């Protein structure tokens, strides 16, 4: 398994460069530190409240961290020329792309696991209990969310020929998902309906919203962890269609993991590296 060799080397390089430790510290501060701060700023919150709130900072910090971890995985080696040495070994370009994906995903996965263990310790100290099922569900969902952004970054890194282009792409993607996308459903609605949305809205409006992986993660975490919580889907005109069900939100996150990597590989396999 040549891709496994690439993945192992990539993970070891990340650990030696202190990237793994920096991301782990950031994730621990987001989870454990965030829940500690939440408890201090609110009167008599419950453990369930803290877990529900955790998805908010996670949806901001994790995409940024995952993009930073992976955006130079291939583009950086292309610019330095080390990609030629890597491909001079018995590795195909597919091995390189998939191995880089797995290696960087493991970096993010280890950081996520450590952060959630630290978060569980904070819950136990502050509330005397840990809602194991809800916390585990959020942990798995957060890992999928982080891995999806690793996939996005690896796909873009496969397309970019230089570090500067990869950096510009990573920064641009972050702002698209965090800020710009929120205006996309409004713009589409204005074009289709000739005005701004009010009252109950057609299901496709919410589909455009949750096609953003950040929104898919936030909505899915709310639906899975707090069954009594309300979401934006309460304003759907008519019955809620299948593409707004929880399982389809999983599909959206998986698509963001797979599709960018496939597109990046299709471009990378034919690019001239000379």
């Amino acid at each position: 398994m040549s891709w496994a060799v690439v993945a192992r080397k990539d993970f070891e390089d990340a650990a030696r460069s202190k990237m793994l430790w920096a991301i782990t510290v950031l994730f621990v501060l987001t989870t454990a530190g965030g829940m500690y701060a939440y408890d201090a700023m609110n009167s008599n919150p419950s453990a369930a409240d803290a877990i529900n709130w955790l998805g908010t900072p996670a949806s901001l910090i994790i995409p940024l961290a995952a993009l930073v971890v992976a955006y130079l995985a291939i583009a950086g080696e292309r610019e330095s020329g080390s990609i030629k040495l890597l491909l001079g070994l018995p590795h195909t370009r597919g091995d390189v792309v998939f191995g880089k994906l797995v290696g960087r995903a493991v970096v993010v996965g280890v950081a996520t696991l450590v952060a959630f263990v630290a978060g569980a310790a904070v819950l136990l100290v502050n509330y005397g209990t840990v809602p194991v099922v809800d916390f585990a569900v959020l942990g798995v969902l957060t890992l999928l969310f982080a891995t999806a952004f690793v996939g996005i970054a690896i796909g873009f890194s496969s397309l970019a020929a230089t570090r500067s282009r990869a950096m510009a792409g990573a920064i641009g993607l972050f702002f698209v998902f965090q800020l710009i996308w929120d205006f996309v459903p409004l713009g589409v609605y204005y074009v289709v309906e000739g005005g701004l949305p009010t009252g109950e809205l057609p299901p496709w409006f919410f589909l455009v919203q949750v096609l953003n992986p950040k929104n898919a993660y936030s909505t899915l975490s709310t639906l899975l962890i707090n069954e009594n919580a309300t979401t934006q889907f309460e304003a759907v005109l008519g019955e809620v269609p299948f593409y707004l069900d929880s399982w389809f939100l999983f599909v959206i996150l998986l698509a963001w993991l797979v599709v960018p990597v496939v597109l990046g590989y299709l471009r990378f396999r034919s690019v001239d590296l000379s």
Side-chain angles (χ1 to χ4, degrees), residues 61 106 108 110 112 117 123 147 158 163 186 222 231 242 252 261:
I61 298 299
V106 172
V108 174
V110 169
T112 302
V117 170
L123 286 175
T147 306
S158 302
R163 298 169 65 94
L186 299 175
T222 299
T231 67
F242 76 92
I252 290 173
V261 174

Side-chain angles (χ1 to χ4, degrees), residues 122-170:
V122 170
L123 286 175
L124 190 60
V125 170
N126 284 354
Y127 307 104
T129 183
V130 179
V132 176
V133 174
D134 287 346
F135 201 57
V137 168
L138 182 62
V140 171
L141 183 57
T142 301
L143 179 58
L144 174 59
F145 177 55
T147 306
F149 269 90
V150 171
I152 293 169
I154 290 293
F156 197 90
S157 188
S158 302
L159 297 172
T162 64
R163 298 169 65 94
S164 59
R165 291 179 184 176
M167 180 179 295

Side-chain angles (χ1 to χ4, degrees), residues 27 38 58 73 194 216 225 250 258 268:
F27 281 15
Y38 177 83
I225 295 172
F250 270 113
V258 174
F268 180 65

Side-chain angles (χ1 to χ4, degrees), residues 41-274:
M41 292 185 297
N42 292 272
S43 58
N44 299 319
S46 66
D49 293 333
I51 293 174
N52 289 332
W53 172 83
L54 183 58
T56 300
S59 66
L60 174 65
I61 298 299
I62 285 179
L64 178 61
L67 289 172
V68 169
V69 164
Y71 81 99
L72 288 180
I74 296 175
E77 295 211 29
R78 283 182 64 181
E79 186 173 77
S80 68
S82 59
I83 193 72
K84 297 177 184 178
L85 297 176
L86 187 60
L87 291 172
L89 300 172
H91 304 313
T92 66
R93 296 194 185 195
D95 291 331
V96 171
V97 172
F98 187 62
K100 293 285 187 178
L101 171 66
V102 173
R104 302 300 165 108
V106 172
V107 171
V108 174
V110 169
T112 302
L113 177 61
V114 172
F116 269 76
V117 170
V122 170
L123 286 175
L124 190 60
V125 170
N126 284 354
Y127 307 104
T129 183
V130 179
V132 176
V133 174
D134 287 346
F135 201 57
V137 168
L138 182 62
V140 171
L141 183 57
T142 301
L143 179 58
L144 174 59
F145 177 55
T147 306
F149 269 90
V150 171
I152 293 169
I154 290 293
F156 197 90
S157 188
S158 302
L159 297 172
T162 64
R163 298 169 65 94
S164 59
R165 291 179 184 176
M167 180 179 295
I171 294 172
L173 288 171
F174 178 77
F175 279 101
V176 165
F177 291 129
Q178 292 293 333
L179 299 174
I180 299 174
W181 196 296
D182 289 340
F183 297 99
V184 173
L186 299 175
V188 175
Y189 187 92
Y190 187 85
V191 171
V192 173
E193 302 292 341
L196 295 176
T198 57
E200 293 186 326
L201 300 170
W204 63 258
F205 180 89
F206 300 100
L207 175 62
V208 177
Q209 280 188 336
V210 297
L211 285 177
N212 181 343
K214 183 199 77 168
N215 294 338
Y217 166 76
S218 298
T219 304
L220 188 55
S221 62
T222 299
L223 290 172
L224 293 181
I225 295 172
N226 188 354
E227 60 183 16
N228 296 319
T230 59
T231 67
Q232 66 269 40
F233 299 158
E234 298 292 323
V236 170
L237 180 63
E239 295 185 1
V240 177
F242 76 92
Y243 53 77
L244 297 181
D245 286 341
S246 298
W247 68 268
F248 198 81
L249 299 180
F250 270 113
V251 172
I252 290 173
L253 288 176
L254 287 173
W256 278 111
L257 167 60
V258 174
V259 174
V261 174
V262 171
L263 293 177
Y265 164 70
L266 292 176
R267 172 59 179 162
F268 180 65
R269 72 176 180 178
S270 59
V271 71
D272 183 10
L273 298 176
S274 59

